[in-house]
Amino acid sequence: MKSANSLDLGNSSIEEMRRVALESYGEQPDSSIDPVDQFYTRVVRVTRNRLSTENSISIEVANGDFAVFVLTSELREDRKRLSADRVANVEKGPQLAGHLWLVPSTLHSAGRRAFSGTTLGDAMDEIESLGLGNQPAIAIEFSKRTISFYPTGVEAEESVVRLEVGEEDLESTPVLNLLERFAEKFVVTPNCQESQIRTWLDGTNYIPVKAAEKNIQELLWLFLSSRLIDNHKIEMEHTLRSGRVDIVIRKRMAAGLWKTSAAVELKVVRSFSSTGRPTPAAALVKHIARGYKQIREYRKELEATEGWLVTYDMRKIDARGNDLYSPHSAAAVADELNLHLEALYGTADDYRDSCAA
């Protein structure tokens, strides 16, 4: 079995990291319930509850300002080994700050242990010293309203994804705004990325990593899950008769009743493969045409309010003259689909030049 430490964290997709993490918990990557995803969404929910009022925030920051959750498949054994207190209800339980929380993916119970240090850096060192450094973890900083997600453990600083916990609703924040904010924070240039997961192998020469599209998909899922309030559900790689849609956003209308607000299909276009091989222009046209057919069918099958084809343009600057969507613009109006293009830049200089033009 490949260990997390043997992964090339710069070039591996988050999916590959997730596969390694799942295998370490005895789960296969095609398992119907992904414990790492479940762990992430449950911790975000708990965090959001603690950030819901100024009073709840002040209670937390008075006790140290940060907490760290570590996913474990052996809660009872780890709790005993580390002399951690048993907590039956994490969501409605005691203060989170100042403690290490050992939890299963469901968070139905937990082990709690006070940190001996006073800084988050001290806490990370302590987690590694306890032999928990290669287990999926989430660090919460309450005063900053941020979480740091370590899909393969705090030892792998190269894989951390940092996100702000929000309280947004699609009624007040349209999908377009969220897509633009995501690109601005994570992928528009290598410098802006609030994640160490790379999209560029060699930005200067516009060579993306092999897993660029998959990495962007997973980062967008993490971003939306942290930004939208709890009456929304974000699904990734949702299987339909017509295929697998990249992102589905649902909104709870009543107990047990969900409306599909949006279906999102993501594409990446590039001038070169990760090996430096040029991508023929005809292949890009075909790639976009396929994406259009996909989102048209996905929106129809899901009866989604909105359908989005989102393309991340990683082509060389001088190769961006043609309009990728022009063959589909008229049909998109009739099909009530949204076509959105995000230009990504291999260097900050290219981005600045584009803004100044």
Side-chain angles (χ1 to χ4, degrees), residues 50-65:
R50 299 306 173 95
L51 294 173
S52 59
T53 67
E54 290 300 323
N55 183 56
S56 61
I57 295 173
S58 64
I59 290 173
E60 292 294 345
V61 298
N63 203 34
D65 194 32

PDB file of all heavy atoms in Angstrom, residues 50-65:
ATOM      1  N   ARG A  50     -20.509  27.109  16.420  1.00  0.00           N
ATOM      2  CA  ARG A  50     -19.760  27.846  17.438  1.00  0.00           C
ATOM      3  C   ARG A  50     -19.448  29.276  17.005  1.00  0.00           C
ATOM      4  O   ARG A  50     -19.065  30.100  17.835  1.00  0.00           O
ATOM      5  CB  ARG A  50     -18.465  27.107  17.775  1.00  0.00           C
ATOM      6  CG  ARG A  50     -18.676  25.699  18.338  1.00  0.00           C
ATOM      7  CD  ARG A  50     -19.611  25.681  19.537  1.00  0.00           C
ATOM      8  NE  ARG A  50     -19.933  24.341  19.961  1.00  0.00           N
ATOM      9  CZ  ARG A  50     -19.290  23.685  20.928  1.00  0.00           C
ATOM     10  NH1 ARG A  50     -18.298  24.262  21.571  1.00  0.00           N
ATOM     11  NH2 ARG A  50     -19.658  22.453  21.244  1.00  0.00           N
ATOM     12  N   LEU A  51     -19.571  29.549  15.712  1.00  0.00           N
ATOM     13  CA  LEU A  51     -19.321  30.903  15.212  1.00  0.00           C
ATOM     14  C   LEU A  51     -20.616  31.666  14.955  1.00  0.00           C
ATOM     15  O   LEU A  51     -20.601  32.743  14.382  1.00  0.00           O
ATOM     16  CB  LEU A  51     -18.520  30.825  13.905  1.00  0.00           C
ATOM     17  CG  LEU A  51     -17.098  30.273  13.998  1.00  0.00           C
ATOM     18  CD1 LEU A  51     -16.505  30.105  12.603  1.00  0.00           C
ATOM     19  CD2 LEU A  51     -16.210  31.169  14.836  1.00  0.00           C
ATOM     20  N   SER A  52     -21.737  31.123  15.387  1.00  0.00           N
ATOM     21  CA  SER A  52     -23.041  31.676  15.026  1.00  0.00           C
ATOM     22  C   SER A  52     -23.371  32.989  15.730  1.00  0.00           C
ATOM     23  O   SER A  52     -24.141  33.805  15.213  1.00  0.00           O
ATOM     24  CB  SER A  52     -24.146  30.651  15.300  1.00  0.00           C
ATOM     25  OG  SER A  52     -24.151  30.292  16.676  1.00  0.00           O
ATOM     26  N   THR A  53     -22.807  33.213  16.912  1.00  0.00           N
ATOM     27  CA  THR A  53     -23.082  34.454  17.642  1.00  0.00           C
ATOM     28  C   THR A  53     -21.784  34.996  18.229  1.00  0.00           C
ATOM     29  O   THR A  53     -20.812  34.259  18.424  1.00  0.00           O
ATOM     30  CB  THR A  53     -24.077  34.229  18.794  1.00  0.00           C
ATOM     31  OG1 THR A  53     -23.459  33.391  19.796  1.00  0.00           O
ATOM     32  CG2 THR A  53     -25.357  33.560  18.297  1.00  0.00           C
ATOM     33  N   GLU A  54     -21.787  36.292  18.513  1.00  0.00           N
ATOM     34  CA  GLU A  54     -20.610  36.903  19.145  1.00  0.00           C
ATOM     35  C   GLU A  54     -20.349  36.284  20.509  1.00  0.00           C
ATOM     36  O   GLU A  54     -19.190  36.116  20.923  1.00  0.00           O
ATOM     37  CB  GLU A  54     -20.816  38.417  19.280  1.00  0.00           C
ATOM     38  CG  GLU A  54     -20.793  39.174  17.965  1.00  0.00           C
ATOM     39  CD  GLU A  54     -19.470  39.012  17.240  1.00  0.00           C
ATOM     40  OE1 GLU A  54     -18.415  38.973  17.914  1.00  0.00           O
ATOM     41  OE2 GLU A  54     -19.487  38.913  16.000  1.00  0.00           O
ATOM     42  N   ASN A  55     -21.415  35.919  21.218  1.00  0.00           N
ATOM     43  CA  ASN A  55     -21.260  35.313  22.529  1.00  0.00           C
ATOM     44  C   ASN A  55     -20.573  33.953  22.452  1.00  0.00           C
ATOM     45  O   ASN A  55     -19.662  33.653  23.228  1.00  0.00           O
ATOM     46  CB  ASN A  55     -22.622  35.157  23.205  1.00  0.00           C
ATOM     47  CG  ASN A  55     -22.496  34.600  24.606  1.00  0.00           C
ATOM     48  OD1 ASN A  55     -21.798  35.163  25.451  1.00  0.00           O
ATOM     49  ND2 ASN A  55     -23.172  33.484  24.866  1.00  0.00           N
ATOM     50  N   SER A  56     -21.007  33.119  21.468  1.00  0.00           N
ATOM     51  CA  SER A  56     -20.398  31.794  21.350  1.00  0.00           C
ATOM     52  C   SER A  56     -18.937  31.899  20.920  1.00  0.00           C
ATOM     53  O   SER A  56     -18.092  31.110  21.348  1.00  0.00           O
ATOM     54  CB  SER A  56     -21.186  30.926  20.352  1.00  0.00           C
ATOM     55  OG  SER A  56     -21.190  31.505  19.064  1.00  0.00           O
ATOM     56  N   ILE A  57     -18.619  32.889  20.081  1.00  0.00           N
ATOM     57  CA  ILE A  57     -17.225  33.091  19.678  1.00  0.00           C
ATOM     58  C   ILE A  57     -16.383  33.514  20.876  1.00  0.00           C
ATOM     59  O   ILE A  57     -15.282  32.996  21.091  1.00  0.00           O
ATOM     60  CB  ILE A  57     -17.132  34.152  18.564  1.00  0.00           C
ATOM     61  CG1 ILE A  57     -17.811  33.664  17.287  1.00  0.00           C
ATOM     62  CG2 ILE A  57     -15.666  34.483  18.263  1.00  0.00           C
ATOM     63  CD1 ILE A  57     -17.905  34.720  16.205  1.00  0.00           C
ATOM     64  N   SER A  58     -16.908  34.447  21.679  1.00  0.00           N
ATOM     65  CA  SER A  58     -16.140  34.940  22.828  1.00  0.00           C
ATOM     66  C   SER A  58     -15.890  33.831  23.838  1.00  0.00           C
ATOM     67  O   SER A  58     -14.826  33.775  24.475  1.00  0.00           O
ATOM     68  CB  SER A  58     -16.885  36.105  23.496  1.00  0.00           C
ATOM     69  OG  SER A  58     -18.122  35.683  24.046  1.00  0.00           O
ATOM     70  N   ILE A  59     -16.837  32.906  23.975  1.00  0.00           N
ATOM     71  CA  ILE A  59     -16.652  31.773  24.882  1.00  0.00           C
ATOM     72  C   ILE A  59     -15.490  30.911  24.402  1.00  0.00           C
ATOM     73  O   ILE A  59     -14.645  30.473  25.192  1.00  0.00           O
ATOM     74  CB  ILE A  59     -17.944  30.941  24.979  1.00  0.00           C
ATOM     75  CG1 ILE A  59     -19.023  31.720  25.723  1.00  0.00           C
ATOM     76  CG2 ILE A  59     -17.680  29.605  25.662  1.00  0.00           C
ATOM     77  CD1 ILE A  59     -20.381  31.050  25.713  1.00  0.00           C
ATOM     78  N   GLU A  60     -15.443  30.682  23.095  1.00  0.00           N
ATOM     79  CA  GLU A  60     -14.378  29.845  22.553  1.00  0.00           C
ATOM     80  C   GLU A  60     -13.005  30.515  22.669  1.00  0.00           C
ATOM     81  O   GLU A  60     -12.044  29.903  23.112  1.00  0.00           O
ATOM     82  CB  GLU A  60     -14.672  29.491  21.092  1.00  0.00           C
ATOM     83  CG  GLU A  60     -15.858  28.562  20.893  1.00  0.00           C
ATOM     84  CD  GLU A  60     -15.638  27.165  21.476  1.00  0.00           C
ATOM     85  OE1 GLU A  60     -14.483  26.819  21.790  1.00  0.00           O
ATOM     86  OE2 GLU A  60     -16.614  26.426  21.629  1.00  0.00           O
ATOM     87  N   VAL A  61     -12.908  31.778  22.250  1.00  0.00           N
ATOM     88  CA  VAL A  61     -11.597  32.429  22.228  1.00  0.00           C
ATOM     89  C   VAL A  61     -11.050  32.638  23.638  1.00  0.00           C
ATOM     90  O   VAL A  61      -9.834  32.765  23.822  1.00  0.00           O
ATOM     91  CB  VAL A  61     -11.641  33.771  21.461  1.00  0.00           C
ATOM     92  CG1 VAL A  61     -12.030  33.548  20.019  1.00  0.00           C
ATOM     93  CG2 VAL A  61     -12.567  34.768  22.128  1.00  0.00           C
ATOM     94  N   ALA A  62     -11.929  32.642  24.621  1.00  0.00           N
ATOM     95  CA  ALA A  62     -11.463  32.786  26.005  1.00  0.00           C
ATOM     96  C   ALA A  62     -10.691  31.560  26.462  1.00  0.00           C
ATOM     97  O   ALA A  62      -9.957  31.615  27.443  1.00  0.00           O
ATOM     98  CB  ALA A  62     -12.656  33.025  26.931  1.00  0.00           C
ATOM     99  N   ASN A  63     -10.839  30.460  25.714  1.00  0.00           N
ATOM    100  CA  ASN A  63     -10.207  29.213  26.137  1.00  0.00           C
ATOM    101  C   ASN A  63      -9.085  28.778  25.207  1.00  0.00           C
ATOM    102  O   ASN A  63      -8.697  27.626  25.198  1.00  0.00           O
ATOM    103  CB  ASN A  63     -11.275  28.105  26.207  1.00  0.00           C
ATOM    104  CG  ASN A  63     -10.869  26.981  27.139  1.00  0.00           C
ATOM    105  OD1 ASN A  63     -10.223  27.231  28.143  1.00  0.00           O
ATOM    106  ND2 ASN A  63     -11.241  25.751  26.797  1.00  0.00           N
ATOM    107  N   GLY A  64      -8.572  29.731  24.395  1.00  0.00           N
ATOM    108  CA  GLY A  64      -7.409  29.381  23.589  1.00  0.00           C
ATOM    109  C   GLY A  64      -7.518  29.668  22.109  1.00  0.00           C
ATOM    110  O   GLY A  64      -6.518  29.614  21.400  1.00  0.00           O
ATOM    111  N   ASP A  65      -8.704  29.952  21.601  1.00  0.00           N
ATOM    112  CA  ASP A  65      -8.933  30.395  20.224  1.00  0.00           C
ATOM    113  C   ASP A  65      -8.836  29.312  19.161  1.00  0.00           C
ATOM    114  O   ASP A  65      -9.348  29.484  18.067  1.00  0.00           O
ATOM    115  CB  ASP A  65      -7.983  31.541  19.872  1.00  0.00           C
ATOM    116  CG  ASP A  65      -8.412  32.233  18.593  1.00  0.00           C
ATOM    117  OD1 ASP A  65      -9.626  32.289  18.323  1.00  0.00           O
ATOM    118  OD2 ASP A  65      -7.544  32.696  17.838  1.00  0.00           O
TER     119      ASP A  65
END
